[in-house]
Amino acid sequence: MSVISITFHTVESENHKWDLFVENDLPQLVDNLFEVEKYILSEVDSEMIMEGKNTNLLLVFQDEEKREDFRQIELKNITEIVEKKFGENVMVFTTLLNPLKINL
């Protein structure tokens, strides 16, 4: 199993537009990803966020090869779609998670 975490930070002025994107467009993009076995799309609730909001997409892959394929192709496509629609108002951060122990 291989995992990647993608966090989208949205400036406060774009919250409504982002919420519509998360509700309507982002799930369709993720559902069409062949490499992804499972995913969790979450709104991040944190005291560390002073303005705007964070949304997290946790993607689970069968192995590191499928995760790397996703990073090379699909992640770039998703990032381009977000940048085209929101410009610099939504920042995309990725984190590779390498499980040490799994109990799902």
Side-chain angles (χ1 to χ4, degrees), residues 4-27:
I4 190 169
S5 172
I6 306 170
T7 301
F8 304 91
H9 177 74
T10 310
V11 298
E12 197 164 335
S13 63
E14 294 290 314
N15 281 350
H16 178 70
K17 187 176 173 183
W18 177 254
D19 288 344
L20 291 173
F21 180 77
V22 168
E23 185 177 321
N24 300 315
D25 300 339
L26 189 56

Side-chain angles (χ1 to χ4, degrees), residues 2-100:
S2 192
V3 182
I4 190 169
S5 172
I6 306 170
T7 301
F8 304 91
H9 177 74
T10 310
V11 298
E12 197 164 335
S13 63
E14 294 290 314
N15 281 350
H16 178 70
K17 187 176 173 183
W18 177 254
D19 288 344
L20 291 173
F21 180 77
V22 168
E23 185 177 321
N24 300 315
D25 300 339
L26 189 56
Q28 287 180 351
L29 288 172
V30 177
D31 285 338
N32 290 330
L33 298 171
F34 294 112
E35 298 92 358
V36 176
E37 286 192 2
K38 298 178 183 182
Y39 72 90
I40 300 172
L41 180 60
S42 306
E43 187 170 311
V44 177
D45 186 14
S46 172
E47 295 175 3
M48 300 305 291
I49 302 171
M50 299 302 175
E51 60 181 58
K53 67 168 28 176
N54 283 356
T55 304
N56 184 266
L57 179 59
L58 188 69
L59 303 172
V60 179
F61 302 89
Q62 182 178 352
D63 54 41
E64 287 185 39
E65 182 179 331
K66 294 209 182 289
R67 180 177 73 177
E68 188 58 30
D69 289 346
F70 168 82
R71 286 184 60 214
Q72 296 298 318
I73 301 166
E74 299 297 345
L75 178 58
K76 290 179 182 180
N77 292 339
I78 291 171
T79 302
E80 286 175 6
I81 290 168
V82 170
E83 287 175 351
K84 184 176 179 182
K85 190 166 186 90
F86 296 96
E88 295 180 0
N89 293 320
V90 175
M91 294 172 275
V92 181
F93 302 95
T94 59
T95 306
L96 301 179
L97 303 176
N98 299 309
L100 299 174

